[in-house]
Amino acid sequence: MPDQIQPVRGMNDIPPAEIAAWQFLERCIAELVTAYGYEEMRVPLIEHTALFKRAIGELTDVVGKEMYTFESQGGESLTLRPEATAGMVRALISNRMLRGQRHKLWCIGPMFRHETPQAGRYRQFHQLDVEAVGFTGPDVDAELIALSARLWRLLGIEHVRLQVNSLGTPESRRAYRELLVGYFRDHEAQLDADSRRRLGGNPLRILDSKSPQMQAIVAGAPLLTEHLDPQSREHFEAFCALLRDFGVEYEINPRLVRGLDYYTRTVFEWITESSGAQNAVCSGGRYDGLIAQLGGEPTPAIGFALGMERVVGLLVQAGRAPPPAKPDVFVILSGDRAGTAGLGLIERLRNELPHRRFECNLGGGNLKTQFRRADRSAAPLALIVADDELDRGVVAMKPLRQDSGQSECPIAQLAAGIEQALAALGVS
Ligand code: HAM
């Protein structure tokens, strides 16, 4: 036997048994974002590497360590998207959709980051991405949070907490950055290797350090919230007031800095305790400078992305994942003529009852085998199409999960007969 080819590490299959939860989540999302006036836009999985370098920042972990970058046959440097915001913005610019216009957009799809795989952290994962472009906020900031809070309610997910912060403008952040570098330099001997590396390039990310050794130093660091410019402070206060008005609970986490460089002002994360270290299920913020930085006309924007795998995990934990779909009717075909005539009969029934799921026994087998398959299919009702009954113009019906016996139904009234039998079994 030839060697089996293994799946690529960190890249998962989603087997049929898990699909119902995914489809339930995707349906809830599509209905909700549409109800808030968002339109779907689809963008490529592959972009020029320069897009992510410029948008996300060369010094971030995502760009520095985690991108799937390759050279195309034409010699271009291309990258599998590690996130969707850069591509969405690129698409707005390429399609000349800005020009003073406003857009509320969403997309769902796979993202790729070469991280160390563990529960809730994968190399191919899926995001719902939501972006509101052309709005200065803070109303849209708060509305986006209300949308995400409503999604948790719709899904029946309870144990998620909202953390918010403001990163101010690039100018106020630059001044704060200097302050912070000064503070960490004073404590350089106590910094771990990761933080020492970040000190030169991305010192704000030290605040995000999960290392126990760093906690005391981080706790003593100056806070960005205390060094905000007046407009950013006003924006943040108005945003928080709206959240209170909407009844959305939140915590201000002055050390929430996010791992991508494009953020300004409002940032937020929905976190959960239940999935271990990988606790951010939905995160985002405002990126007022990004569009201009990518060559578009200066346009404020805000958005978030939700980690679909993590939310599916929460759905399963909360017992909210719907069971896999099962057929309404399993069709047993007994006899040579029934084998073909029966299939034709079911095709006509599918025209009459398009909302019903019929599963026909394919590939033959004796009655015992076919009844075993019917049982395994979990269908509540079996139709038995057999040569003798066909000659008499009838087929037999038998409930599979109840002890009531077999009955006969004239073929001419089969659609109504099936509906009646299913109704009697409590199948809507
Ligand atoms: P992010 O925080 O990098 O933001 O990712 C958003 C969410 O994607 C995370 O909260 C997490 O749930 C999920 N996620 C990230 N990495 C992984 C992974 N390796 N495996 C599984 N799930 C993961 C962004 O991507 C921004 N583009 C969000 C945004 C949109 N900001 C403005 N607009």
Side-chain angles (χ1 to χ4, degrees):
M1 283 241 282
D3 285 348
Q4 290 181 3
I5 295 175
Q6 298 304 311
V8 178
R9 189 161 177 243
M11 316 245 165
N12 297 313
D13 306 307
I14 305 173
E18 290 167 25
I19 283 293
W22 281 81
Q23 289 179 342
F24 172 61
L25 175 59
E26 287 161 2
R27 255 192 330 270
C28 288
I29 284 172
E31 277 172 25
L32 182 67
V33 292
T34 306
Y36 273 80
Y38 285 78
E39 297 176 296
E40 187 175 0
M41 176 158 85
R42 300 186 185 183
V43 294
L45 301 195
I46 296 176
E47 299 276 358
H48 290 289
T49 306
L51 173 69
F52 301 116
K53 285 193 173 168
R54 236 209 278 172
I56 299 172
E58 304 241 15
L59 296 171
T60 59
D61 284 352
V62 172
V63 170
K65 302 198 279 199
E66 297 170 0
M67 293 212 297
Y68 282 89
T69 295
F70 59 97
E71 194 178 303
S72 75
Q73 299 195 4
E76 294 171 300
S77 177
L78 303 178
T79 293
L80 286 177
R81 65 180 182 192
E83 57 104 56
T85 311
M88 295 286 265
V89 168
R90 199 268 314 129
L92 285 166
I93 299 172
S94 312
N95 294 293
R96 301 180 201 291
M97 289 168 71
L98 292 167
R99 304 184 166 182
Q101 292 181 60
R102 314 199 293 179
H103 294 280
K104 290 158 80 181
L105 302 167
W106 66 283
C107 74
I108 287 186
M111 310 292 153
F112 303 85
R113 295 186 193 176
H114 197 274
E115 296 191 75
T116 310
Q118 48 181 267
R121 192 205 278 167
Y122 311 106
R123 290 182 174 173
Q124 176 178 322
F125 60 98
H126 297 77
Q127 282 184 346
L128 156 69
D129 186 71
V130 179
E131 310 289 357
V133 175
F135 302 85
T136 47
D139 49 1
V140 70
D141 308 21
E143 194 193 60
L144 269 178
I145 301 275
L147 184 162
S148 47
R150 190 176 296 275
L151 181 64
W152 309 134
R153 286 203 298 280
L154 268 176
L155 297 173
I157 290 174
E158 282 176 354
H159 302 287
V160 283
R161 291 190 287 132
L162 173 65
Q163 297 198 333
V164 299
N165 192 19
S166 175
L167 298 184
T169 58
E171 296 75 41
S172 63
R173 199 153 70 241
R174 217 167 292 133
Y176 169 73
R177 196 190 126 116
E178 275 172 32
L179 206 69
L180 197 64
V181 170
Y183 169 81
F184 284 127
R185 288 237 183 278
D186 290 345
H187 297 79
E188 203 158 347
Q190 292 146 272
L191 299 185
D192 63 8
D194 221 26
S195 303
R196 218 165 289 151
R197 185 178 54 77
R198 284 182 164 145
L199 192 55
N202 209 348
L204 264 70
R205 289 286 285 162
I206 302 178
L207 299 175
D208 224 14
S209 170
K210 305 276 180 293
S211 144
Q213 171 194 339
M214 290 295 301
Q215 296 314 303
I217 306 162
V218 166
L223 293 178
L224 177 53
T225 20
E226 284 161 14
H227 296 86
L228 286 182
D229 55 288
Q231 285 83 12
S232 295
R233 180 180 307 282
E234 213 175 286
H235 187 115
F236 189 55
E237 280 165 7
F239 163 65
C240 292
L242 280 167
L243 293 185
R244 290 194 296 276
D245 195 43
F246 294 170
V248 177
E249 281 181 34
Y250 64 92
E251 302 155 31
I252 297 176
N253 176 358
R255 292 187 184 82
L256 177 65
V257 290
R258 311 275 303 120
L260 315 165
D261 275 358
Y262 49 63
Y263 291 110
T264 52
R265 294 198 168 158
T266 313
V267 289
F268 59 90
E269 272 184 4
W270 286 95
I271 58 173
T272 168
E273 244 73 284
S274 39
S275 43
Q278 303 313 311
N279 59 5
V281 285
C282 172
S283 32
R286 187 159 272 288
Y287 52 94
D288 291 340
L290 178 63
I291 296 176
Q293 197 183 310
L294 293 177
E297 64 189 68
T299 311
I302 181 168
F304 69 74
L306 170 151
M308 302 280 286
E309 279 79 0
R310 295 182 190 178
V311 175
V312 166
L314 293 180
L315 274 176
V316 172
Q317 261 175 33
R320 293 277 306 176
K326 57 177 195 245
D328 296 308
V329 181
F330 190 95
V331 185
I332 288 172
L333 304 164
S334 165
D336 290 343
R337 276 173 296 130
T340 45
L343 284 181
L345 182 68
I346 302 306
E347 276 309 302
R348 287 192 293 282
L349 270 176
R350 286 187 167 119
N351 295 337
E352 283 182 76
L353 303 174
H355 59 294
R356 289 293 175 204
R357 280 190 66 191
F358 291 92
E359 187 172 333
C360 290
N361 182 77
L362 298 176
N366 62 27
L367 268 183
K368 198 172 154 207
T369 310
Q370 295 199 42
F371 265 106
R372 205 170 43 237
R373 287 179 189 147
D375 205 44
R376 235 181 268 142
S377 78
L381 184 70
L383 274 193
I384 302 129
V385 185
D387 287 354
D388 291 351
E389 280 82 356
L390 276 182
D391 292 341
R392 289 194 285 118
V394 296
V395 295
M397 282 194 283
K398 184 172 168 29
L400 288 166
R401 322 264 134 216
Q402 279 181 14
D403 265 349
S404 41
Q406 199 162 307
S407 59
E408 284 187 350
C409 181
I411 290 175
Q413 282 128 45
L414 197 50
I418 289 173
E419 282 305 311
Q420 233 170 37
L422 286 173
L425 295 170
V427 179
S428 53

